[in-house]
Amino acid sequence: MLQNLVPGTVLTPTWLAGQGVSRDLALRYVTSGWLERVGRGAYQRRGDSVDWQGAVHTLQTQLGLTVHVAGLSALQLKGLGHYLSMGKEASVLLVSDGAERLPAWFSGKEWGAEIVHRCVQLFDFSENLPLTVVEHKGFSVRVSPPERAAFEMIYCVDGNSAFDHARTVFDGLGALRPQEVQKLLEACRSVRVKRLFLWMARDCAHPWLKHVDPDRVDLGSGKRVVYDGGELDRELLITVPRRKEDADV
């Protein structure tokens, strides 16, 4: 068992059973000093250091959950969220593609970061959308690729400050793959997110936008208030920050 475990990760009863270790035997290992509890029904090797990435690896591999690192958090792990701190007290966004509950040992433990978990059905056929991985301390964690992370970031915009932050981060997304952007625009269920994504791409003048066909995207009808006190973008029918020359009037 000790040879097969991945250092820096949590051990669940499911994994332990696969190694021939019953719950009673696991408790004996705790008593003997080989294992220590992480929470109810979860363990780690005594003296091991497990961070939130190691815990997420366990959720994904041992429990088979769809949860993944998403939005701004995924962009930061990929080196694209230059304006987001991931140090102590940082906020980490985890997204599940459907209704999914995280175990109590995970949600009840302090991981050195604020963990935000959302169950979001943002895309049709989300199970067919690929994720990417980030290597960390000898194991991998599944995260959203930059294109999907950008949509998830915009989905979380809930006020002017969050809008401005997302717009700043979006400015650094000049290398998105237009084929993936097109696929996600067509699969995205949120009219608000699709319109705002296209507005940010246009406002940042990203070159990949010219390879995206908005006519194949259902942008709905009617106006959407996205930015309080802003002005209406007449093409995409969303409120956005006023242009500087208008704000100075």
Side-chain angles (χ1 to χ4, degrees):
M1 179 196 70
L2 296 178
Q3 289 178 341
N4 291 337
L5 68 81
V6 179
T9 64
V10 177
L11 310 179
T12 64
T14 301
W15 185 87
L16 289 169
Q19 306 298 312
V21 178
S22 66
R23 290 178 183 268
D24 289 341
L25 187 54
L27 293 177
R28 287 170 54 189
Y29 287 166
V30 171
T31 303
S32 64
W34 290 358
L35 299 178
E36 58 187 8
R37 287 181 177 272
V38 174
R40 184 176 180 181
Y43 308 88
Q44 67 183 41
R45 185 172 184 174
R46 183 171 292 277
D48 204 356
S49 176
V50 180
D51 53 23
W52 67 265
Q53 292 98 319
V56 170
H57 173 86
T58 294
L59 298 178
Q60 295 173 338
T61 57
Q62 295 185 30
L63 300 183
L65 301 183
T66 68
V67 66
H68 59 275
V69 186
L72 283 167
S73 303
L75 291 172
Q76 197 278 337
L77 288 180
K78 285 293 188 179
L80 297 170
H82 307 298
Y83 300 90
L84 178 70
S85 171
M86 290 288 281
K88 188 173 177 59
E89 304 304 327
S91 178
V92 177
L93 176 64
L94 303 179
V95 164
S96 294
D97 292 330
E100 196 168 67
R101 209 171 193 182
L102 303 186
W105 62 259
F106 179 88
S107 55
K109 184 174 174 59
E110 292 291 335
W111 296 107
E114 178 193 7
I115 305 294
V116 178
H117 175 236
R118 295 191 177 190
C119 295
V120 178
Q121 293 184 315
L122 185 57
F123 302 100
D124 290 324
F125 314 111
S126 57
E127 67 276 6
N128 296 327
L129 297 177
L131 296 172
T132 186
V133 298
V134 170
E135 298 298 324
H136 178 75
K137 295 184 178 179
F139 56 84
S140 61
V141 179
R142 292 197 296 272
V143 308
S144 292
E147 295 81 12
R148 180 172 180 173
F151 280 83
E152 293 164 338
M153 173 182 69
I154 290 174
Y155 174 84
C156 293
V157 168
D158 59 359
N160 288 10
S161 178
F163 183 108
D164 294 336
H165 188 189
R167 168 59 182 79
T168 301
V169 174
F170 207 98
D171 197 44
L173 302 182
L176 296 188
R177 298 166 294 177
Q179 301 92 334
E180 293 301 311
V181 169
Q182 184 75 51
K183 182 194 307 180
L184 292 170
L185 280 169
E186 294 180 29
C188 184
R189 296 179 174 184
S190 170
V191 167
R192 169 183 168 277
V193 169
K194 289 183 285 189
R195 292 186 191 181
L196 187 49
F197 183 98
L198 289 170
W199 181 87
M200 287 194 178
R202 188 188 68 195
D203 196 55
C204 294
H206 285 321
W208 48 259
L209 182 60
K210 65 184 179 182
H211 301 292
V212 174
D213 184 2
D215 292 336
R216 291 163 48 191
V217 180
D218 179 8
L219 294 176
S221 60
K223 303 173 183 177
R224 301 289 195 281
V225 176
V226 178
Y227 198 91
D228 292 337
E231 64 180 8
L232 181 69
D233 181 276
R234 298 191 177 279
E235 179 182 348
L236 293 169
L237 298 181
I238 55 174
T239 57
V240 295
R242 293 182 180 276
R243 291 166 297 195
K244 189 175 186 305
E245 55 269 26
D246 293 338
D248 292 340
V249 174

